Amino acid sequence: MTDPGRSPISEAELHALVDGALPAGRRADVEAYLAVNPAAAARVAAWRAQNVALRRLFMAGESAGVDPAWRTDLQQLSARPRRIGGGRWRWLPGPRAAMAAGLLLLLAGGLLGPGGPDRETGGELAGFSQAAERAYLTAAVQEGEAAPSDWHPPDLSLLGWRLVARGQAPPGSQATARFDYADRDGRRLLLLVGPPKSDPRPSYAYLHDGNRVVFSWISDRLSYALVGELSRQEMMGLAERARAGLRAAGSAPPRLDGAPVIQSALDHRL
Amino acid sequence: MGDFGGSSFGSSIGQHIGPLRRYAQALMRDRAAADDLVQDSLARALSRADRFESGTNLRAWLFTIMHNLHANQMRQRKARPETSLPESTVLPLTSPADQDDRIALRDMARALSVLPLEQRQVVLLVGLEGLPYQDVAAVLGIPIGTVMSRLSRGREALRRHLAGEAPRLRRAK
């Protein structure tokens, strides 16, 4: 059936045609072969249909990159309490915590809603980071518009940041105060504070999302989250300043057991 | 130690969670078990991040980790053969589809579920995930010739299975 002088068409080449893996120079030969071999052409057509059916069956989009259809599923995955809540992924202090934090936040993907797995510290931080990132993406309260808060905002002016708004924490999160800062270049910084639901160990999580950085930590029996587009070094300086400068309204200065948490975040290359 | 956690390596891995999870579900037909496998694979990948050579194919590396974990599981379960699962677990359709279309996809799910594991792996990695043949060989740890023969047998088995059921699919609209 094939022309003399041409090498015969192999089965592997038929598959390569279906999968787009055939060298360009061979394509015409294979197609010429199929034109005179209806049985082979039918098989190739069936294999192509299989690929299409498989992708539709499992809702595959582009093979590379994040398929948006997966976001909902990722939410389910991240919300599965078996591992995150009480299993092997228990929150660890130190560098492994940073790794686990990154993974957990990847899984959470900004999707963990209130009521997610937050009995353990990992869930606490993931939920709190997510609330902070969401708050950062929503409009800040207008400058000067005060909202009731249990907290006096920390003064970050020494680091070049001034308070531009203070407002209500995102509804549904356990945060109780939100402070918006800006620097001279117009960059924004958000600080979210609130009591953890449980009584977790001091720990931290550090997350990049493009240029945006979310640093959250638990210390002094408080959850903190800072969000902004800035360097890690800057973020750590601000974190230390924010922690030390935050004052509960009408109460004594906070305890100082948070410093080691931020220091350990600073010590480990993340 | 390289960049970990929320930084570039973690973000890079994050881009592959979808495909990993999709493949695991297609392979195992049990969502909970598939999710466990993906979680274990991600945890292992992160714990071995320093062994990943940047510039090489991260997706193939992650699939390899998952394949090895899955192979271990299969070995451990050898005494307990795989059983067919309810249809609901093999039909992840969420969008309303044409009735004929749904039946066709359900038949595909059935056909896939009776395929031997080694053929199912290759058919899914190639047809569903679009991995190049040489990546499939690397992921599964088999020669490329074996990839091609498994692919061929798997696709032909699917074709025969689907052709055999085709008359039942024809419905008057």
Side-chain angles (χ1 to χ4, degrees), chain B:
Chain B
M1 220 187 262
D3 275 357
F4 274 135
S7 60
S8 58
F9 188 74
S11 302
S12 304
I13 285 186
Q15 295 183 349
H16 299 284
I17 294 175
L20 282 171
R21 190 159 184 249
R22 178 175 60 216
Y23 172 67
Q25 290 187 351
L27 189 67
M28 302 177 71
R29 296 168 286 157
D30 175 347
R31 291 201 153 207
D35 286 350
D36 285 349
L37 179 65
V38 172
Q39 287 194 355
D40 289 346
S41 304
L42 293 170
R44 178 169 290 199
L46 278 179
S47 73
R48 296 181 173 187
D50 54 333
R51 297 193 208 171
F52 176 72
E53 293 174 39
S54 59
T56 61
N57 188 335
L58 179 60
R59 185 161 61 139
W61 186 72
L62 292 171
F63 272 92
T64 304
I65 287 175
M66 193 161 83
H67 169 74
N68 291 339
L69 280 174
H70 183 238
N72 289 344
Q73 285 180 5
M74 290 290 105
R75 271 193 289 278
Q76 285 160 8
R77 286 182 201 160
K78 218 161 37 181
R80 192 154 47 99
E82 253 186 310
T83 52
S84 265
L85 288 148
E87 268 168 34
S88 60
T89 63
V90 296
L91 255 196
L93 289 173
T94 53
S95 55
D98 177 74
Q99 178 73 6
D100 283 357
D101 197 48
R102 288 185 72 88
I103 292 171
L105 291 183
R106 194 181 66 195
D107 286 341
M108 171 52 109
R110 279 208 191 113
L112 194 64
S113 70
V114 296
L115 217 54
L117 177 65
E118 59 177 32
Q119 291 173 26
R120 196 159 72 228
Q121 288 169 335
V122 174
V123 165
L124 289 171
L125 287 173
V126 171
L128 178 64
E129 299 304 328
L131 248 62
Y133 300 146
Q134 62 266 30
D135 285 356
V136 176
V139 165
L140 300 178
I142 55 179
I144 198 158
T146 310
V147 170
M148 297 317 293
S149 64
R150 287 182 187 177
L151 180 65
S152 191
R153 278 183 282 138
R155 279 178 167 167
E156 279 302 282
L158 284 182
R159 189 176 68 84
R160 282 193 302 271
H161 190 107
L162 294 171
E165 293 191 359
R168 208 166 52 69
L169 298 184
R170 298 286 163 256
R171 293 166 52 99
K173 290 230 173 169

Side-chain angles (χ1 to χ4, degrees), chain A residues 149-153 222 245-254:
Chain A
S149 169
D150 299 336
W151 305 97
H152 293 307
L222 258 189
L246 190 76
R247 293 278 187 284
S251 81

Side-chain angles (χ1 to χ4, degrees), chain A residues 177-266:
Chain A
R178 164 190 178 146
F179 302 111
D180 287 86
Y181 295 83
D183 74 354
R184 277 193 312 188
D185 301 326
R187 293 186 304 167
R188 293 174 53 217
L189 178 74
L190 172 84
L191 170 65
L192 210 60
V193 185
K197 283 183 186 165
S198 57
D199 188 15
R201 287 165 290 167
S203 52
Y204 64 88
Y206 189 79
L207 168 72
H208 280 285
D209 185 1
N211 292 328
R212 191 163 59 245
V213 169
V214 183
F215 180 61
S216 57
W217 72 99
I218 295 176
S219 64
D220 317 314
R221 292 173 175 266
L222 258 189
S223 297
Y224 303 74
L226 277 169
V227 190
E229 299 194 1
L230 24 109
S231 75
R232 181 176 149 277
Q233 203 65 30
E234 258 185 306
M235 189 57 106
M236 294 302 165
L238 285 163
E240 180 49 40
R241 194 81 202 164
R243 189 205 57 76
L246 190 76
R247 293 278 187 284
S251 81
R255 301 206 317 266
L256 292 176
D257 62 346
V261 176
I262 295 170
Q263 189 56 48
S264 71
L266 202 53

